[in-house]
Amino acid sequence: MQEVNVRVAVRVRPLLTKEKLSGEQMCVRPGSNQNQLILGTDRSFTFDHIFFSKAQQEDVYKLCVEPLVVSLFDGYNATVFAYGQTGSGKTYTIGGGDITTLTEEEYGIIPRAITHMFKIMKENKTKTFTVNVSYIEIYMEELRDLLSLDTPAKDLHVREDNKGNTVIVGAREVQCESLDEVMSLLESGSAARHTGSTQMNEQSSRSHSIFTVVIGQNWSEPDPVKDTKVRQQSVNNLYGLEEDDMSHYMSGKFHFVDLAGSERAHKTGNIGDRFKESIHINSGLLSLGNVISALGDVKKKSTHIPYRESKITRLLKDSLGGNAKTLMICCISPASSSFDESLNSLKYANRAKNIKNKPIINRDIQSIRFEEMQCEIKALREELARQKTTVSLYADMEGLPDTGHIRELEDKVARLQTECGHYRMVAEQAYKHIMEIQEKEILSKSQNVRLRDWMELLEELKSTMPMNVSPEEMQNGMIKELQQELQKCRTHLESDEKIFAEKSREMNQLHDTIKEFEKSASLMESQLHEEMMKCQQQAEQLISQQIRIDELEAALKMTALQDSSLDETSSLPLALTSTGGISGRRPKSVPAHVYKAQEDGSRLRPASRLIKTSPAHFTLERVMQSFRARSQLLISRLEDEDDVLHQTFSDDEDEEKEEENISPEQNGEFGKY
Ligand code: ADP
Ligand code: MG
């Protein structure tokens, strides 16, 4: 699996009119190359992409996001997240704001990406697509469903599915048919986001938001190795394959994340609720910073990545160090007054550059296995076809089916053999004549030497090529060789057939496994349903108990009121008691045995004193405490069951730690990491 770094882009927005009017100076400028930026006088940073104030929304989309949308259709997950201080242009860049007020040129990444996705889907006629959209925000460390505002936060849970992907259980996923539908969900969800006015941005997002689009793709392909010859049929029979096309499924998930501003409290002038929000926002960003540090610090090589410190880090687990292709867009303001914040953001982004992800294609595992097997079959079929050609050639040569070419060759061989025989005969006659001439000793010395050489050469030839081998004998030798070759091919064929049979068995086993998985999935589904019903019943019980507590509290209060009014009307409790008047009745808040004891011996004590140190009051406390303890017990039991229920999704769920509630403000490191 190939590792790729998280890509980091920096976007410097233009000075806003307000900033220009107040005489703000620019503190950011381009460096010597296009990927470099200089902050202040000498702090230089290099990133994958840098967009200065003149860059348009389209430039950002085309350069950084378009490739991710394309790879989404190849089955990869992708994430784009915007980071930066409040008012630096995150929402503007991501495009999660109010799009009704924007021109098309001003559209940010989300509207552009979904338009592009629908264009790709329209152009591809060979596949069927499904588009599912969800939109959630994390506000004050609680999840909120922006597409279903009535869903209580406690019904939304971050979990890991059986493939290790992070999912939000309970969030509404809307299946969309058209671009307009997705746009209207984006619009309505964005309008529901928590925003508030700060000194730095009139429409500051006070939450982290995640807009997610899941594209599912279904297509069927003809068997790539379909062979129209007879062999195909026998292979199919062996393999138990249908002639039908093979269907495939693949999906990709795209997260668009608009993080809340990384502001410092004093800059925004936040007080009260805004201040509390800031603490939550900053603690989420602090955790994100810790995750980025742990993943990106090459020197540290941390083994523990603190994803569980906050909801945003849990949700971005796949995107940071996981299996998605991720782009971080760090937005900064060019104003000198934001120098510190810009420096912090750039340092943050600089670390993120080192994070390595391992993107994978989200294919159905069975489908991948099937495809691998198909490749194997293809290779085997090719091998078979090759051997078949060789075998048929040999069969032809055995003389069964005659071919003109072979005849021609045979004639040529015969002709050559006759010619060869003639030459041999002539050569042998010449040999004899030369021997006779040599014996007469009429040749010069050098002529004798050359003749001897020639004779030796002829002797050599005679010994290597027996002179009296008939053409039939030669043919027989050749046929023998060919027969041996044929035998070898047959053995190969047999072993191939065995392999086919083996693969066929494996296929059947795989089919069985799929069926088993399906069965266990439906079983788990019904168990889940049952457990959910149980939870609902328990919640109802809790509510009725709470109502009962309220009733009891009210009743007790009433009794206390009645008793105190009694106390006020009787100026002489002892006298009234002795006349057997109102105080003759036992106050409801006093248990009967205590009252009896008082009647027996301690009746001389004033009644009002009994009421002030009222054991009934004490009992109310106790009753309340026990109810609280019981409901706490019930809630924790519910949570336990909830966890157990989701054990199947996440093995390491029990690792979940209690969140550390250390505010970054307390550490004196607000907004830093
Ligand atoms: P953030 O989400 O980071 O708090 P916003 O996206 O709301 O910031 O931007 C703050 C203001 O700056 C908005 O009025 C927005 O229109 C403006 N703005 C941000 N980036 C740009 C840009 N690249 N070009 C023009 N205006 C921008
Ligand atoms: Mg914003």
Side-chain angles (χ1 to χ4, degrees):
M1 215 184 296
Q2 211 197 338
E3 279 192 337
V4 296
N5 280 55
V6 165
R7 295 187 75 76
V8 181
V10 170
R11 186 173 199 190
V12 188
R13 68 154 167 77
L15 275 178
L16 302 176
T17 322
K18 193 175 70 177
E19 290 167 332
K20 281 184 193 155
L21 288 174
S22 62
E24 283 277 6
Q25 295 298 308
M26 299 272 281
C27 68
V28 189
R29 65 189 159 91
S32 53
N33 71 52
Q34 58 170 3
N35 291 347
Q36 206 180 31
L37 156 156
I38 297 175
L39 180 72
T41 49
D42 56 354
R43 287 175 187 269
S44 142
F45 292 90
T46 307
F47 294 100
D48 296 306
H49 305 282
I50 297 180
F51 300 98
F52 286 96
S53 49
K54 288 212 173 74
Q56 298 301 301
Q57 295 281 55
E58 185 174 9
D59 302 330
V60 178
Y61 178 75
K62 285 258 170 215
L63 257 164
C64 312
V65 190
E66 201 174 74
L68 294 179
V69 171
V70 173
S71 68
L72 177 76
F73 285 88
D74 294 332
Y76 290 101
N77 291 341
T79 301
V80 176
F81 72 94
Y83 176 85
Q85 74 174 121
T86 296
S88 58
K90 297 181 297 297
T91 307
Y92 181 82
T93 303
I94 283 286
D98 181 7
I99 50 173
T100 51
T101 58
L102 300 176
T103 62
E104 273 194 25
E105 282 77 50
E106 289 172 322
Y107 275 5
I109 289 169
I110 306 180
R112 282 172 196 274
I114 49 186
T115 311
H116 186 191
M117 287 172 196
F118 274 92
K119 186 169 172 264
I120 293 177
M121 290 187 278
K122 199 175 165 196
E123 281 168 4
N124 193 329
K125 305 269 183 251
T126 57
K127 293 180 177 175
T128 49
F129 296 94
T130 51
V131 181
N132 280 290
V133 171
S134 60
Y135 200 1
I136 60 116
E137 73 170 350
I138 303 169
Y139 177 66
M140 308 268 275
E141 262 316 90
E142 284 211 326
L143 289 169
R144 212 169 143 249
D145 191 340
L146 293 173
L147 300 184
S148 169
L149 297 172
D150 297 335
T151 309
K154 65 176 174 53
D155 289 354
L156 301 168
H157 306 277
V158 186
R159 300 273 179 238
E160 270 174 30
D161 68 9
N162 51 359
K163 288 181 198 153
N165 296 320
T166 312
V167 288
I168 300 172
V169 180
R172 186 172 168 225
E173 261 203 8
V174 185
Q175 185 161 351
C176 299
E177 301 296 332
S178 67
L179 175 63
D180 286 347
E181 254 183 273
V182 185
M183 286 292 213
S184 68
L185 289 175
L186 173 68
E187 241 174 79
S188 61
S190 300
R193 270 192 80 179
H194 274 94
T195 56
S197 176
T198 68
Q199 278 173 23
M200 302 187 70
N201 186 355
E202 280 172 19
Q203 272 284 303
S204 168
S205 321
R206 313 300 300 156
S207 61
H208 310 296
S209 77
I210 305 184
F211 182 81
T212 307
V213 183
V214 183
I215 306 268
Q217 308 180 50
N218 265 302
W219 75 99
S220 54
E221 254 174 22
D223 188 342
V225 290
K226 212 168 230 174
D227 178 352
T228 45
K229 291 182 185 167
V230 192
R231 196 77 213 148
Q232 168 69 36
Q233 194 53 53
S234 64
V235 172
N236 277 351
N237 291 344
L238 257 173
Y239 234 71
L241 288 177
E242 295 293 327
E243 288 287 347
D244 292 343
D245 291 346
M246 165 85 193
S247 75
H248 299 264
Y249 178 76
M250 186 159 76
S251 72
K253 194 187 278 189
F254 208 128
H255 288 311
F256 301 90
V257 186
D258 185 5
L259 295 172
S262 60
E263 71 266 27
R264 291 178 179 199
H266 73 269
K267 278 237 166 188
T268 49
N270 290 342
I271 45 163
D273 282 351
R274 288 272 169 281
F275 184 75
K276 269 192 226 153
E277 281 174 354
S278 293
I279 296 213
H280 278 287
I281 290 168
N282 279 282
S283 73
L285 291 172
L286 179 80
S287 313
L288 187 61
N290 289 341
V291 167
I292 290 178
S293 288
L295 287 167
D297 199 331
V298 261
K299 282 181 223 137
K300 273 194 199 159
K301 289 233 169 216
S302 308
T303 44
H304 172 70
I305 313 297
Y307 290 114
R308 290 182 180 276
E309 275 184 10
S310 73
K311 294 231 161 50
I312 188 70
T313 44
R314 285 191 74 184
L315 282 174
L316 291 181
K317 191 176 169 199
D318 303 340
S319 316
L320 298 168
N323 59 20
K325 293 190 175 182
T326 299
L327 168 76
M328 171 185 188
I329 304 183
C330 173
C331 296
I332 59 170
S333 152
S336 309
S337 58
S338 297
F339 180 90
D340 287 349
E341 288 300 334
S342 301
L343 181 61
N344 264 342
S345 299
L346 290 172
K347 281 185 187 166
Y348 210 96
N350 213 29
R351 283 192 206 178
K353 278 195 313 192
N354 299 326
I355 300 176
K356 289 192 191 309
N357 285 3
K358 288 178 186 161
I360 52 159
I361 296 178
N362 296 295
R363 287 290 299 275
D364 177 359
I365 294 168
Q366 302 298 348
S367 199
I368 295 171
R369 180 79 188 104
F370 207 89
E371 216 153 77
E372 281 171 4
M373 288 177 74
Q374 273 190 323
C375 287
E376 271 181 62
I377 297 169
K378 187 182 177 188
L380 286 167
R381 278 181 190 166
E382 279 169 4
E383 177 66 14
L384 263 180
R386 202 179 54 76
Q387 290 192 2
K388 213 177 123 193
T389 335
T390 328
V391 170
S392 65
L393 181 71
Y394 287 157
D396 287 349
M397 288 175 91
E398 269 183 301
L400 301 172
D402 198 7
T403 63
H405 183 63
I406 298 223
R407 275 272 157 83
E408 253 177 51
L409 284 174
E410 279 173 351
D411 290 348
K412 207 173 171 183
V413 170
R415 248 193 343 265
L416 287 171
Q417 277 175 341
T418 325
E419 261 178 48
C420 193
H422 286 297
Y423 285 124
R424 263 187 213 158
M425 215 168 64
V426 173
E428 271 185 20
Q429 277 174 3
Y431 186 82
K432 276 181 203 159
H433 294 314
I434 289 166
M435 288 276 275
E436 282 168 18
I437 294 167
Q438 232 184 356
E439 279 165 15
K440 283 180 184 166
E441 293 181 353
I442 49 172
L443 296 172
S444 68
K445 215 176 175 182
S446 67
Q447 281 171 330
N448 261 328
V449 172
R450 270 184 278 145
L451 268 180
R452 225 185 357 260
D453 287 347
W454 181 83
M455 284 160 80
E456 274 171 16
L457 189 69
L458 196 70
E459 291 291 337
E460 236 175 76
L461 281 172
K462 270 195 206 171
S463 62
T464 51
M465 285 174 66
M467 294 292 182
N468 44 2
V469 177
S470 73
E472 283 78 28
E473 275 172 332
M474 275 181 72
Q475 257 184 10
N476 282 345
M478 232 159 90
I479 287 169
K480 239 184 201 164
E481 266 176 39
L482 290 173
Q483 276 174 340
Q484 277 168 4
E485 195 72 24
L486 182 68
Q487 192 54 40
K488 257 194 232 164
C489 287
R490 283 191 180 137
T491 331
H492 282 161
L493 257 176
E494 267 172 29
S495 71
D496 284 347
E497 309 262 289
K498 269 185 204 157
I499 292 170
F500 277 131
E502 180 62 32
K503 294 283 168 203
S504 153
R505 253 200 312 282
E506 269 182 39
M507 267 289 291
N508 290 339
Q509 275 171 3
L510 269 173
H511 278 305
D512 292 346
T513 324
I514 295 172
K515 271 186 198 148
E516 272 171 32
F517 276 147
E518 279 172 355
K519 253 191 221 161
S520 64
S522 69
L523 199 71
M524 272 162 62
E525 208 179 316
S526 62
Q527 280 174 352
L528 188 70
H529 184 70
E530 266 175 36
E531 293 299 335
M532 275 166 68
M533 293 295 288
K534 264 191 217 164
C535 285
Q536 207 176 331
Q537 279 171 5
Q538 280 166 344
E540 278 164 10
Q541 276 175 11
L542 259 178
I543 291 167
S544 62
Q545 278 182 358
Q546 190 57 51
I547 293 168
R548 187 81 190 109
I549 291 168
D550 291 348
E551 282 172 5
L552 278 170
E553 269 184 314
L556 281 166
K557 264 188 204 145
M558 278 289 289
T559 321
L561 267 175
Q562 279 174 7
D563 289 344
S564 63
S565 63
L566 264 178
D567 199 12
E568 278 164 23
T569 47
S570 60
S571 52
L572 284 168
L574 252 178
L576 271 171
T577 310
S578 60
T579 56
I582 302 164
S583 58
R585 277 188 282 131
R586 171 175 65 92
K588 281 189 183 116
S589 59
V590 183
H593 67 278
V594 177
Y595 187 72
K596 218 161 179 43
Q598 285 168 4
E599 275 197 322
D600 294 341
S602 55
R603 274 194 99 163
L604 286 175
R605 268 196 284 160
S608 60
R609 193 174 143 74
L610 283 177
I611 291 161
K612 271 181 193 159
T613 57
S614 165
H617 202 72
F618 178 62
T619 315
L620 167 65
E621 285 276 326
R622 293 248 307 264
V623 168
M624 286 302 291
Q625 267 175 10
S626 78
F627 271 122
R628 277 199 204 103
R630 247 181 278 160
S631 35
Q632 196 59 44
L633 210 66
L634 265 170
I635 289 165
S636 61
R637 234 179 36 215
L638 274 173
E639 278 173 355
D640 283 352
E641 281 180 19
D642 190 35
D643 272 354
V644 171
L645 199 62
H646 288 93
Q647 285 282 319
T648 48
F649 293 107
S650 156
D651 289 343
D652 58 346
E653 201 60 58
D654 50 346
E655 281 170 30
E656 183 163 350
K657 280 196 267 168
E658 273 292 299
E659 230 185 77
E660 284 179 11
N661 244 345
I662 304 166
S663 109
E665 192 76 311
Q666 286 165 356
N667 285 344
E669 286 197 341
F670 210 70
K672 288 186 180 171
Y673 38 85

